[in-house]
Amino acid sequence: MHIFAVANQKGGVGKTTTSVNLAAALAASGQRTLLVDLDPQGNATMGCGVDKRSLKSSVYQVLLQLATLEEARVTSPSGKFDVLPANRDLAGAEVELVDLDSREMRLKAALAAHKADYDFVLIDCPPSLSMLTLNGLCAAHGVIIPMQCEYYALEGLSDLVNTIKKVHANLNRELKIIGLLRVMYDPRNTLSTQVSAQLEEHFGDKVFKTLVPRNVRLAEAPSYGVPGVLFDKAAKGAQAYMAFAVEMIDRVNSWKD
Ligand code: ADP
Ligand code: MG
């Protein structure tokens, strides 16, 4: 089981879109996949077609050990993968976890019992470097960082990289950066291509080969509760996320050799 956190403390950079579409694309490629929504906004939950307002239990109860993962997980009605859903309850977890034992290891502990159930676990992190994100980073083997190729893209990246280094040093020796994923890419925009080239120069093979273009079909899909890769399979954005799933599967297989 490979566990990846999709993280970037900036909002609106494509974390949720990447989490939902990569999960659906991995599932469509035959991988047993679980998507963990760690954002109180519950956008990943809704984007998978799961109604966040009518959950019996959610990741919140799992983190507080009030429910097990079996009790809280649901199957996405639109894709063949499981979702550990989230809603606004999760906003309280931040405060409620503070006084509890091994508060940053709660998600890791919940997933440990399910090693045999999944090939891939993806964790959609909130836009902060909070206790929730820390739970994601402590549970993960690697981090996927979506970023837009814009002038300020690199600003804030060092905060994330430093946090990942600290977690690696103190809490999770397995954690590493898997790669930077360029999203909402516009090849006609000179700045976009320049920043993209700079990323390749500085980060080398830490930059994924797949480029996800700006594509309105990816933005429309969530309102139908269907991952973009299934909503319009022919769209450029959907094809990019299918290619990204293949790149991730290849990456993981290369570790076995
Ligand atoms: P985050 O989870 O980092 O806050 P989201 O995945 O929610 O970011 O994306 C922010 C907004 O950008 C959403 O409205 C989403 O639909 C849109 N979006 C994300 N990726 C793309 C893309 N490749 N093309 C067009 N719109 C996108
Ligand atoms: Mg999000």
Side-chain angles (χ1 to χ4, degrees), residues 219-232:
E220 288 168 353
S223 61
Y224 296 88
V226 179
V229 290
L230 305 172
F231 179 64
D232 182 352

Side-chain angles (χ1 to χ4, degrees), residues 172-235:
N172 178 6
R173 297 298 296 175
E174 284 186 276
L175 190 68
K176 56 175 182 260
I177 294 176
I178 307 298
L180 302 172
L181 178 68
R182 292 162 288 177
V183 300
M184 296 184 240
Y185 184 71
D186 179 0
R188 291 162 303 181
N189 179 321
T190 317
L191 184 61
S192 212
T193 54
Q194 279 172 356
V195 173
S196 173
Q198 273 172 10
L199 284 177
E200 284 175 344
E201 211 169 283
H202 289 289
F203 296 96
D205 60 8
K206 285 279 178 215
V207 181
F208 290 111
K209 297 216 163 41
T210 307
L211 273 163
V212 179
R214 186 174 286 283
N215 178 247
V216 68
R217 302 298 269 166
L218 288 175
E220 288 168 353
S223 61
Y224 296 88
V226 179
V229 290
L230 305 172
F231 179 64
D232 182 352
K233 292 180 184 174

